[in-house]
Amino acid sequence: MPADSRAGRVVVAYAGGGHPHVFSRIRLMAERPDVEVAGIYDPEPERAAGIARRTGVAVLETLDALAERRPDIVISEALDHEMPAIGEGLAGRVPLILLEKPGGPDLPAVRRMLERLEAAGTEVELGYQLHYTPGLDRVLDILRTGALGQVTLARFHASTPIGCSMELWQSLPEDLGGLMFTEGCHMLELILTTLGTPASASGSIRRLPAGASVATTRYKRDLFSAGGETTTLQVGTGVHEDVAVATLNYADLVAVLDLTGWEADDWVSRWTMEYYGTLGTLQVFLSPPSIRLHLERAGGGHEAGVTCWAPDPRAQATPYEAQLDRLVRRARGEKTGDGVTAGLGLDVVRVLDAI
């Protein structure tokens, strides 16, 4: 539905700000001349006030006050256990809502909220920004054309930097889990997008014995932490898991996902997607984005041998920018494709529940 915008601008409001992505998603929208940021509601007034001080947005005291602003888009960066009440409270009252992934604390809560939003006619996008990584369309094309032959094995790796799985938003006792639930969901969305939904899934979720103590500057002690402070954290002392592995079973292939909360590198820099076929191998790197394709023989419009691809970073929007741009264009009534729909988001949580 085209936006009922003011002065030709799309109106965006924020509902919940406990997740740190709130700052980048406020900044990116505020920088757009075609967007008006109406303000932020948060169930914790002090948190809302802190976000307002840092970003300059107005505080909206209640969900009713937010709805009265008639936003074209609502972005919710609520903590997982806060998300269902916000989503259900806005069902049918706003046309389009982006929910921070995975969308709630567990499968029953996510399913109920998404069903109510859908029934009320509110369109949903889940906050899986990596879906908009440059090159994903190329990956889908390679898989769709059959250039790899039969893919028998797919392997995926994700992680957090040292100890970042112990940050607040990864360590909610109300959540189904930690590392796999709050970070593995990103990679699971990409797995389901490229391979479809598995027939079954199982996992090994491990909280390790108390082990090494490691100093890090990447850990954020709270929402308003500037980062860069040195913090010492110990393996095996978090609320949830330290490492996790999942096996996803398809009719004719197996996919494996592994994660660690203790990787000695920056966010997403070692995340990889690998597809092993009878005629070739495809390797995908997410940050910085690049693709390496090896084919035994030409096929599907691709040459034999090794082909490497990487985008020009100067000509590419970041995944965050691309996702928010899609929302704005969607609010204006443009055809933008499906994005990360409620159905896909629910499937991710269904697989997480099985794991």
Side-chain angles (χ1 to χ4, degrees), residues 9 13 16 21 38 44-45 61 77 90 102 106 131 145 174 181 205 215 231 260 288 295 301 337-338:
R9 294 190 293 176
H21 287 171
E44 296 291 337
E61 300 292 345
E77 294 293 346
L90 291 173
D106 54 33
H131 182 87
T145 61
E174 301 91 341
F181 190 67
I205 310 295
T231 304
T260 175
L295 295 180
D338 288 336

Side-chain angles (χ1 to χ4, degrees), residues 55-119:
T55 64
V57 300
V59 172
L60 303 171
E61 300 292 345
T62 64
L63 275 183
D64 288 340
L66 184 151
E68 287 170 3
R69 297 300 301 270
R70 295 187 298 113
D72 304 304
I73 302 168
V74 170
I75 296 175
S76 180
E77 294 293 346
L79 294 175
D80 295 336
H81 61 282
E82 300 168 341
M83 187 76 75
I86 288 174
E88 292 178 36
L90 291 173
R93 304 174 74 185
V94 298
L96 177 58
I97 188 167
L98 180 145
L99 304 171
E100 181 58 64
K101 52 75 193 169
D106 54 33
L107 177 58
V110 172
R111 178 189 286 121
R112 183 183 64 248
M113 175 187 63
L114 293 179
E115 287 177 349
R116 292 185 180 179
L117 284 163
E118 182 178 27

Side-chain angles (χ1 to χ4, degrees), residues 165-166 170-173 207 237-241:
S165 61
M166 297 173 71
Q170 324 276 24
S171 302
L172 300 168
R207 180 174 173 178
T237 60
V239 173
H240 295 297
E241 66 269 19

Side-chain angles (χ1 to χ4, degrees), residues 107 176 200-203 348-355:
L107 177 58
L176 179 64
S200 65
S202 60
V348 170
V349 181
R350 286 176 53 234
V351 175
L352 285 166
D353 185 75
I355 292 168

Side-chain angles (χ1 to χ4, degrees), residues 49-345:
I51 294 169
R53 285 193 297 271
R54 181 161 166 177
T55 64
V57 300
V59 172
L60 303 171
E61 300 292 345
T62 64
L63 275 183
D64 288 340
L66 184 151
E68 287 170 3
R69 297 300 301 270
R70 295 187 298 113
D72 304 304
I73 302 168
V74 170
I75 296 175
S76 180
E77 294 293 346
L79 294 175
D80 295 336
H81 61 282
E82 300 168 341
M83 187 76 75
I86 288 174
E88 292 178 36
L90 291 173
R93 304 174 74 185
V94 298
L96 177 58
I97 188 167
L98 180 145
L99 304 171
E100 181 58 64
K101 52 75 193 169
D106 54 33
L107 177 58
V110 172
R111 178 189 286 121
R112 183 183 64 248
M113 175 187 63
L114 293 179
E115 287 177 349
R116 292 185 180 179
L117 284 163
E118 182 178 27
T122 295
E123 183 180 350
V124 174
E125 168 93 4
L126 272 297
Y128 292 108
Q129 71 276 1
L130 293 179
H131 182 87
Y132 299 89
T133 297
L136 185 62
D137 55 342
R138 293 173 180 260
V139 172
L140 291 169
D141 179 67
I142 292 166
L143 295 172
R144 191 181 299 117
T145 61
L148 297 179
Q150 180 181 340
V151 176
T152 60
L153 176 70
R155 188 169 63 192
F156 304 87
H157 172 70
S159 63
T160 68
I162 295 166
C164 287
S165 61
M166 297 173 71
E167 291 174 336
L168 168 64
W169 31 91
Q170 324 276 24
S171 302
L172 300 168
E174 301 91 341
D175 272 3
L176 179 64
L179 178 67
M180 177 64 82
F181 190 67
T182 57
E183 290 302 320
C185 64
H186 271 299
M187 191 62 88
L188 279 168
E189 183 275 314
L190 293 171
I191 294 172
L192 269 60
T193 293
T194 58
L195 295 177
T197 303
S200 65
S202 60
S204 175
I205 310 295
R206 292 284 310 277
R207 180 174 173 178
L208 299 175
S213 293
V214 190
T216 178
T217 58
R218 294 193 175 97
Y219 172 84
K220 291 183 178 180
R221 54 182 170 76
D222 59 39
L223 180 67
F224 300 105
S225 172
E229 304 171 4
T230 299
T231 304
T232 299
L233 302 167
Q234 185 179 17
V235 174
T237 60
V239 173
H240 295 297
E241 66 269 19
D242 297 277
V243 292
V245 178
T247 302
L248 311 180
N249 296 301
Y250 294 82
D252 56 357
L253 69 99
V254 172
V256 179
L257 166 62
D258 61 68
L259 302 98
T260 175
W262 298 92
E263 190 152 278
D265 219 319
D266 207 350
W267 283 100
V268 195
S269 63
R270 298 295 177 185
W271 290 33
T272 53
M273 306 163 63
E274 300 175 334
Y275 305 83
Y276 295 89
T278 54
L279 299 177
T281 301
L282 174 64
Q283 294 176 295
V284 184
F285 307 92
L286 295 180
S287 183
S290 66
I291 295 171
R292 183 184 188 278
L293 173 66
H294 171 258
L295 295 180
E296 288 291 297
R297 62 171 184 262
H302 304 279
E303 298 179 356
V306 175
T307 302
C308 296
W309 174 88
D312 180 351
R314 297 168 298 180
Q316 293 287 335
T318 68
Y320 286 103
E321 292 168 335
Q323 184 174 47
L324 295 180
D325 184 67
R326 176 194 177 275
L327 287 178
V328 172
R329 290 186 292 113
R330 190 75 173 179
R332 291 191 179 280
E334 297 181 29
K335 294 181 178 179
T336 60
D338 288 336
V340 187
T341 62
L344 178 54

